[in-house]
Amino acid sequence: MKNIAVFASGRGSNFSSIVQAARIGAIKARISLMISDNPDAPVLKKARSASIKTALVERKDFPNKEKFEAAIIQLLQKEKIDLIVLAGFMRVLSPGFVRKYKNRILNIHPSLLPSFKGAHGIKDAYSYGVKITGVTVHFVDEKIDHGPIILQAAVEIDKNDTLESLEEKIHKLEHKLYPSAIQLYCASKLRVEGNKVMIRA
Ligand code: GRF
């Protein structure tokens, strides 16, 4: 069974959906570790109450990004982590880190990439006035919100939607899509060919 580490900085609703999916066997892997960089993140409490091992690694405790990431790598190696799942992790991993874990880091982004990259994907799509937005799960490469796309799903923005109702729709979809993508990885059903991800039936 593969060992998964989730990296999260905030609320942790995706983290909870992943833990739940593992619990019911929809993800056949161990959620071995949750790493956060934010001491105030609600996800820390969620992990503790789900009895998942947690580690708080704060950037301010290290002289540079390299040492910060070296501390993270040490934790990953100790827990024999196979897959890193970014779930609202608000730090950009260095090219060196990404290369070390090439095709072993997943991210979820709340828009249909390559549209609306960045920290406000839902709001930016809403403000732009697009009629369709959605959710993307992708492998992480050296660019931000970029890398081979595993799964995408669309959400319609209708005339009655507010930003809040759209956020709700997006998060609901995220909580289904991310566990599905993670399980595809864990079942070795994904093959990366250049910028494309082939999914075996
Ligand atoms: C999600 O919308 C995810 O797409 C983005 O960050 C948010 C994290 O939410 N990368 P949560 O902490 O999982 O509730």
Side-chain angles (χ1 to χ4, degrees):
M1 227 194 240
K2 289 190 162 66
N3 290 315
I4 294 177
V6 179
F7 290 14
S9 307
R11 190 171 58 145
S13 70
N14 280 285
F15 168 75
S16 293
S17 75
I18 293 162
V19 168
Q20 180 59 12
R23 202 149 277 169
I24 64 171
I27 293 175
K28 292 183 181 50
R30 256 185 308 268
I31 314 303
S32 307
L33 183 62
M34 197 287 294
I35 296 183
S36 186
D37 62 321
N38 173 12
D40 303 320
V43 69
L44 281 165
K45 265 203 195 120
K46 288 192 169 119
R48 287 183 197 123
S49 64
S51 305
I52 305 281
K53 190 178 280 184
T54 65
L56 175 63
V57 189
E58 287 187 77
R59 173 64 184 83
K60 70 167 178 52
D61 293 336
F62 300 89
N64 54 46
K65 188 166 182 167
E66 205 182 328
K67 295 233 161 68
F68 166 71
E69 289 187 344
I72 292 178
I73 290 169
Q74 212 172 28
L75 290 167
L76 298 176
Q77 288 174 341
K78 188 163 163 244
E79 297 299 327
K80 301 190 165 43
I81 296 300
D82 302 292
L83 176 69
I84 297 167
V85 169
L86 306 183
F89 188 61
M90 297 311 285
R91 287 197 177 272
V92 176
L93 297 167
S94 71
F97 187 102
V98 172
R99 270 197 300 274
K100 188 172 170 69
Y101 288 92
K102 188 171 166 27
N103 295 339
R104 294 202 291 146
I105 310 174
L106 307 188
N107 184 42
I108 188 160
H109 184 76
S111 76
L112 292 175
L113 291 175
S115 291
F116 307 113
K117 294 177 181 167
H120 308 287
I122 305 175
K123 186 159 170 266
D124 291 346
Y126 183 78
S127 309
Y128 194 94
V130 293
K131 305 288 187 191
I132 295 175
T133 182
V135 174
T136 303
V137 180
H138 64 96
F139 283 107
V140 170
D141 70 9
E142 293 168 29
K143 297 186 204 143
I144 295 173
D145 294 330
H146 190 271
I149 290 173
I150 301 167
L151 293 177
Q152 287 187 305
V155 164
E156 279 188 37
I157 304 179
D158 66 51
K159 62 178 188 319
N160 300 319
D161 269 318
T162 59
L163 177 57
E164 291 68 37
S165 70
L166 178 61
E167 281 170 348
E168 209 170 296
K169 285 193 210 171
I170 294 273
H171 292 311
K172 211 167 149 200
L173 189 57
E174 287 187 325
H175 301 158
K176 285 207 319 222
L177 204 69
Y178 216 0
S180 306
I182 293 167
Q183 175 53 20
L184 287 171
Y185 179 92
C186 291
S188 305
K189 293 203 166 165
L190 304 178
R191 198 179 71 242
V192 182
E193 281 179 21
N195 61 322
K196 298 218 172 99
V197 179
M198 308 298 166
I199 303 178
R200 241 184 342 110

Short mmCIF file of all heavy atoms in Angstrom, two decimals, residues 142-180:
data_model
loop_
_atom_site.label_atom_id
_atom_site.label_comp_id
_atom_site.label_asym_id
_atom_site.label_seq_id
_atom_site.Cartn_x
_atom_site.Cartn_y
_atom_site.Cartn_z
N GLU A 142 7.38 22.47 -12.56
CA GLU A 142 8.12 23.59 -11.98
C GLU A 142 7.40 24.94 -12.10
O GLU A 142 7.81 25.91 -11.49
CB GLU A 142 9.52 23.65 -12.59
CG GLU A 142 10.33 22.43 -12.16
CD GLU A 142 11.62 22.23 -12.91
OE1 GLU A 142 12.19 23.24 -13.37
OE2 GLU A 142 12.04 21.08 -13.05
N LYS A 143 6.32 24.98 -12.89
CA LYS A 143 5.57 26.23 -12.99
C LYS A 143 4.34 26.18 -12.06
O LYS A 143 3.87 25.11 -11.71
CB LYS A 143 5.10 26.45 -14.43
CG LYS A 143 6.25 26.62 -15.41
CD LYS A 143 5.69 26.96 -16.78
CE LYS A 143 6.68 26.56 -17.86
NZ LYS A 143 6.04 26.06 -19.05
N ILE A 144 3.82 27.36 -11.76
CA ILE A 144 2.70 27.42 -10.80
C ILE A 144 1.37 27.06 -11.47
O ILE A 144 1.08 27.53 -12.58
CB ILE A 144 2.63 28.83 -10.17
CG1 ILE A 144 3.90 29.05 -9.34
CG2 ILE A 144 1.39 29.00 -9.30
CD1 ILE A 144 4.05 30.44 -8.80
N ASP A 145 0.58 26.21 -10.78
CA ASP A 145 -0.71 25.74 -11.30
C ASP A 145 -0.55 25.23 -12.73
O ASP A 145 -1.32 25.57 -13.64
CB ASP A 145 -1.77 26.87 -11.23
CG ASP A 145 -2.09 27.24 -9.80
OD1 ASP A 145 -1.99 26.37 -8.92
OD2 ASP A 145 -2.44 28.41 -9.54
N HIS A 146 0.41 24.36 -12.89
CA HIS A 146 0.79 23.87 -14.21
C HIS A 146 1.31 22.45 -14.06
O HIS A 146 1.83 22.09 -13.02
CB HIS A 146 1.89 24.79 -14.77
CG HIS A 146 2.21 24.55 -16.20
ND1 HIS A 146 3.16 23.64 -16.59
CD2 HIS A 146 1.70 25.09 -17.32
CE1 HIS A 146 3.23 23.64 -17.91
NE2 HIS A 146 2.34 24.51 -18.38
N GLY A 147 1.15 21.67 -15.13
CA GLY A 147 1.64 20.30 -15.12
C GLY A 147 0.59 19.41 -15.72
O GLY A 147 -0.58 19.81 -15.86
N PRO A 148 0.96 18.17 -16.08
CA PRO A 148 0.04 17.26 -16.76
C PRO A 148 -1.29 17.08 -16.01
O PRO A 148 -1.30 16.78 -14.82
CB PRO A 148 0.83 15.95 -16.82
CG PRO A 148 2.27 16.37 -16.74
CD PRO A 148 2.30 17.58 -15.88
N ILE A 149 -2.38 17.29 -16.75
CA ILE A 149 -3.72 17.26 -16.13
C ILE A 149 -4.24 15.83 -16.04
O ILE A 149 -4.24 15.08 -17.01
CB ILE A 149 -4.69 18.14 -16.95
CG1 ILE A 149 -4.30 19.62 -16.76
CG2 ILE A 149 -6.15 17.91 -16.53
CD1 ILE A 149 -5.06 20.59 -17.64
N ILE A 150 -4.69 15.48 -14.84
CA ILE A 150 -5.21 14.11 -14.59
C ILE A 150 -6.72 14.09 -14.80
O ILE A 150 -7.23 13.30 -15.59
CB ILE A 150 -4.84 13.66 -13.16
CG1 ILE A 150 -3.32 13.66 -13.00
CG2 ILE A 150 -5.42 12.27 -12.88
CD1 ILE A 150 -2.85 13.52 -11.56
N LEU A 151 -7.44 14.92 -14.07
CA LEU A 151 -8.91 14.98 -14.20
C LEU A 151 -9.37 16.44 -14.17
O LEU A 151 -8.77 17.27 -13.48
CB LEU A 151 -9.60 14.25 -13.03
CG LEU A 151 -9.45 12.74 -12.91
CD1 LEU A 151 -10.17 12.26 -11.63
CD2 LEU A 151 -10.01 12.00 -14.12
N GLN A 152 -10.42 16.70 -14.90
CA GLN A 152 -11.10 18.00 -14.82
C GLN A 152 -12.60 17.74 -14.78
O GLN A 152 -13.08 16.79 -15.39
CB GLN A 152 -10.78 18.88 -16.04
CG GLN A 152 -9.37 19.43 -16.00
CD GLN A 152 -9.10 20.42 -17.10
OE1 GLN A 152 -9.28 20.10 -18.25
NE2 GLN A 152 -8.62 21.61 -16.74
N ALA A 153 -13.30 18.63 -14.11
CA ALA A 153 -14.76 18.57 -14.14
C ALA A 153 -15.29 19.99 -14.14
O ALA A 153 -14.69 20.89 -13.56
CB ALA A 153 -15.29 17.79 -12.94
N ALA A 154 -16.42 20.16 -14.82
CA ALA A 154 -16.95 21.51 -15.04
C ALA A 154 -18.11 21.82 -14.11
O ALA A 154 -18.84 20.92 -13.67
CB ALA A 154 -17.40 21.64 -16.50
N VAL A 155 -18.26 23.11 -13.87
CA VAL A 155 -19.38 23.63 -13.09
C VAL A 155 -19.98 24.78 -13.89
O VAL A 155 -19.24 25.62 -14.38
CB VAL A 155 -18.85 24.18 -11.73
CG1 VAL A 155 -19.86 25.07 -11.06
CG2 VAL A 155 -18.45 23.05 -10.81
N GLU A 156 -21.29 24.80 -14.01
CA GLU A 156 -21.92 25.94 -14.69
C GLU A 156 -22.15 27.08 -13.71
O GLU A 156 -22.51 26.85 -12.56
CB GLU A 156 -23.26 25.50 -15.28
CG GLU A 156 -23.10 24.77 -16.59
CD GLU A 156 -24.43 24.51 -17.27
OE1 GLU A 156 -25.33 25.37 -17.20
OE2 GLU A 156 -24.56 23.43 -17.85
N ILE A 157 -21.92 28.28 -14.21
CA ILE A 157 -22.24 29.46 -13.39
C ILE A 157 -23.55 30.01 -13.93
O ILE A 157 -23.60 30.48 -15.07
CB ILE A 157 -21.13 30.53 -13.49
CG1 ILE A 157 -19.77 29.93 -13.10
CG2 ILE A 157 -21.48 31.73 -12.60
CD1 ILE A 157 -18.59 30.89 -13.19
N ASP A 158 -24.61 29.88 -13.15
CA ASP A 158 -25.87 30.40 -13.69
C ASP A 158 -26.20 31.76 -13.11
O ASP A 158 -25.51 32.24 -12.21
CB ASP A 158 -27.01 29.37 -13.56
CG ASP A 158 -27.39 29.10 -12.14
OD1 ASP A 158 -27.62 30.06 -11.40
OD2 ASP A 158 -27.43 27.91 -11.76
N LYS A 159 -27.23 32.36 -13.63
CA LYS A 159 -27.47 33.78 -13.31
C LYS A 159 -27.79 34.01 -11.83
O LYS A 159 -27.61 35.11 -11.33
CB LYS A 159 -28.56 34.37 -14.22
CG LYS A 159 -29.92 33.73 -14.12
CD LYS A 159 -30.89 34.44 -15.05
CE LYS A 159 -32.33 34.00 -14.89
NZ LYS A 159 -32.57 32.57 -14.70
N ASN A 160 -28.23 32.96 -11.15
CA ASN A 160 -28.54 33.13 -9.73
C ASN A 160 -27.33 32.90 -8.82
O ASN A 160 -27.42 33.09 -7.61
CB ASN A 160 -29.65 32.16 -9.31
CG ASN A 160 -30.92 32.43 -10.09
OD1 ASN A 160 -31.28 33.59 -10.32
ND2 ASN A 160 -31.58 31.37 -10.55
N ASP A 161 -26.24 32.46 -9.41
CA ASP A 161 -25.07 32.17 -8.57
C ASP A 161 -24.47 33.44 -7.98
O ASP A 161 -24.29 34.44 -8.67
CB ASP A 161 -23.99 31.43 -9.38
CG ASP A 161 -24.15 29.93 -9.28
OD1 ASP A 161 -24.42 29.44 -8.17
OD2 ASP A 161 -24.00 29.25 -10.32
N THR A 162 -24.11 33.33 -6.70
CA THR A 162 -23.29 34.36 -6.06
C THR A 162 -21.90 33.74 -5.95
O THR A 162 -21.72 32.53 -6.19
CB THR A 162 -23.80 34.65 -4.64
OG1 THR A 162 -23.75 33.41 -3.90
CG2 THR A 162 -25.22 35.18 -4.65
N LEU A 163 -20.94 34.55 -5.56
CA LEU A 163 -19.60 33.99 -5.37
C LEU A 163 -19.66 32.85 -4.35
O LEU A 163 -19.04 31.79 -4.53
CB LEU A 163 -18.63 35.09 -4.92
CG LEU A 163 -17.20 34.62 -4.60
CD1 LEU A 163 -16.57 33.92 -5.80
CD2 LEU A 163 -16.34 35.81 -4.16
N GLU A 164 -20.45 33.05 -3.31
CA GLU A 164 -20.54 32.03 -2.26
C GLU A 164 -21.16 30.73 -2.77
O GLU A 164 -20.68 29.65 -2.46
CB GLU A 164 -21.38 32.55 -1.06
CG GLU A 164 -20.73 33.66 -0.26
CD GLU A 164 -20.61 34.98 -1.03
OE1 GLU A 164 -21.54 35.31 -1.80
OE2 GLU A 164 -19.58 35.68 -0.86
N SER A 165 -22.22 30.85 -3.57
CA SER A 165 -22.85 29.62 -4.06
C SER A 165 -21.92 28.90 -5.04
O SER A 165 -21.87 27.68 -5.09
CB SER A 165 -24.23 29.89 -4.68
OG SER A 165 -24.10 30.59 -5.90
N LEU A 166 -21.15 29.70 -5.81
CA LEU A 166 -20.19 29.08 -6.72
C LEU A 166 -19.09 28.36 -5.94
O LEU A 166 -18.71 27.23 -6.27
CB LEU A 166 -19.59 30.13 -7.66
CG LEU A 166 -18.54 29.61 -8.63
CD1 LEU A 166 -19.13 28.54 -9.56
CD2 LEU A 166 -17.93 30.74 -9.45
N GLU A 167 -18.61 29.01 -4.89
CA GLU A 167 -17.57 28.38 -4.06
C GLU A 167 -18.06 27.04 -3.52
O GLU A 167 -17.33 26.04 -3.54
CB GLU A 167 -17.18 29.30 -2.89
CG GLU A 167 -16.25 30.40 -3.32
CD GLU A 167 -16.04 31.47 -2.25
OE1 GLU A 167 -16.80 31.50 -1.25
OE2 GLU A 167 -15.14 32.30 -2.45
N GLU A 168 -19.31 27.04 -3.10
CA GLU A 168 -19.88 25.81 -2.56
C GLU A 168 -19.91 24.70 -3.61
O GLU A 168 -19.53 23.56 -3.33
CB GLU A 168 -21.29 26.13 -2.07
CG GLU A 168 -21.76 25.28 -0.93
CD GLU A 168 -23.07 25.83 -0.39
OE1 GLU A 168 -23.06 26.98 0.13
OE2 GLU A 168 -24.08 25.15 -0.53
N LYS A 169 -20.35 25.07 -4.82
CA LYS A 169 -20.40 24.06 -5.90
C LYS A 169 -19.01 23.53 -6.21
O LYS A 169 -18.82 22.33 -6.42
CB LYS A 169 -20.94 24.70 -7.19
CG LYS A 169 -22.42 24.97 -7.24
CD LYS A 169 -22.78 25.29 -8.70
CE LYS A 169 -23.93 26.22 -8.87
NZ LYS A 169 -24.11 26.67 -10.25
N ILE A 170 -18.05 24.45 -6.27
CA ILE A 170 -16.67 24.04 -6.61
C ILE A 170 -16.12 23.10 -5.54
O ILE A 170 -15.55 22.05 -5.86
CB ILE A 170 -15.75 25.28 -6.75
CG1 ILE A 170 -16.17 26.14 -7.94
CG2 ILE A 170 -14.28 24.89 -6.80
CD1 ILE A 170 -15.59 25.78 -9.27
N HIS A 171 -16.30 23.46 -4.29
CA HIS A 171 -15.73 22.63 -3.23
C HIS A 171 -16.38 21.25 -3.20
O HIS A 171 -15.70 20.25 -3.01
CB HIS A 171 -15.84 23.31 -1.86
CG HIS A 171 -14.96 24.53 -1.77
ND1 HIS A 171 -13.63 24.51 -2.14
CD2 HIS A 171 -15.20 25.79 -1.38
CE1 HIS A 171 -13.11 25.71 -1.99
NE2 HIS A 171 -14.04 26.52 -1.53
N LYS A 172 -17.67 21.22 -3.43
CA LYS A 172 -18.37 19.93 -3.46
C LYS A 172 -17.76 19.02 -4.54
O LYS A 172 -17.53 17.82 -4.33
CB LYS A 172 -19.85 20.18 -3.75
CG LYS A 172 -20.76 19.17 -3.11
CD LYS A 172 -22.18 19.62 -3.15
CE LYS A 172 -23.05 18.38 -3.24
NZ LYS A 172 -24.37 18.65 -3.75
N LEU A 173 -17.49 19.62 -5.68
CA LEU A 173 -16.90 18.87 -6.79
C LEU A 173 -15.47 18.45 -6.46
O LEU A 173 -15.05 17.31 -6.75
CB LEU A 173 -16.94 19.74 -8.05
CG LEU A 173 -16.58 19.11 -9.37
CD1 LEU A 173 -17.48 17.91 -9.66
CD2 LEU A 173 -16.74 20.15 -10.50
N GLU A 174 -14.72 19.35 -5.84
CA GLU A 174 -13.34 19.02 -5.44
C GLU A 174 -13.31 17.77 -4.57
O GLU A 174 -12.44 16.91 -4.74
CB GLU A 174 -12.73 20.18 -4.64
CG GLU A 174 -12.37 21.38 -5.45
CD GLU A 174 -11.61 22.43 -4.63
OE1 GLU A 174 -11.88 22.60 -3.42
OE2 GLU A 174 -10.75 23.08 -5.22
N HIS A 175 -14.28 17.70 -3.66
CA HIS A 175 -14.26 16.61 -2.69
C HIS A 175 -14.56 15.26 -3.32
O HIS A 175 -14.33 14.22 -2.72
CB HIS A 175 -15.23 16.92 -1.53
CG HIS A 175 -14.88 18.19 -0.82
ND1 HIS A 175 -15.76 18.91 -0.08
CD2 HIS A 175 -13.70 18.88 -0.79
CE1 HIS A 175 -15.16 19.99 0.40
NE2 HIS A 175 -13.91 19.99 -0.02
N LYS A 176 -15.11 15.30 -4.54
CA LYS A 176 -15.30 14.04 -5.28
C LYS A 176 -14.10 13.77 -6.20
O LYS A 176 -13.61 12.65 -6.32
CB LYS A 176 -16.56 14.13 -6.16
CG LYS A 176 -17.83 14.02 -5.38
CD LYS A 176 -18.99 13.46 -6.19
CE LYS A 176 -19.08 14.00 -7.60
NZ LYS A 176 -20.45 14.32 -8.01
N LEU A 177 -13.67 14.85 -6.88
CA LEU A 177 -12.65 14.68 -7.94
C LEU A 177 -11.27 14.31 -7.38
O LEU A 177 -10.57 13.47 -7.97
CB LEU A 177 -12.56 15.98 -8.75
CG LEU A 177 -12.02 15.82 -10.16
CD1 LEU A 177 -13.01 15.07 -11.05
CD2 LEU A 177 -11.71 17.18 -10.78
N TYR A 178 -10.89 14.94 -6.26
CA TYR A 178 -9.53 14.69 -5.76
C TYR A 178 -9.36 13.23 -5.32
O TYR A 178 -8.40 12.58 -5.77
CB TYR A 178 -9.19 15.68 -4.65
CG TYR A 178 -7.73 16.13 -4.64
CD1 TYR A 178 -6.82 15.66 -5.59
CD2 TYR A 178 -7.24 17.02 -3.69
CE1 TYR A 178 -5.50 16.07 -5.59
CE2 TYR A 178 -5.93 17.45 -3.69
CZ TYR A 178 -5.06 16.97 -4.64
OH TYR A 178 -3.75 17.39 -4.64
N PRO A 179 -10.28 12.71 -4.48
CA PRO A 179 -10.13 11.29 -4.13
C PRO A 179 -10.09 10.38 -5.37
O PRO A 179 -9.31 9.42 -5.40
CB PRO A 179 -11.37 11.01 -3.26
CG PRO A 179 -11.67 12.33 -2.64
CD PRO A 179 -11.37 13.35 -3.71
N SER A 180 -10.88 10.69 -6.40
CA SER A 180 -10.86 9.84 -7.61
C SER A 180 -9.49 9.86 -8.26
O SER A 180 -8.95 8.82 -8.67
CB SER A 180 -11.87 10.31 -8.65
OG SER A 180 -13.12 10.40 -8.09
#
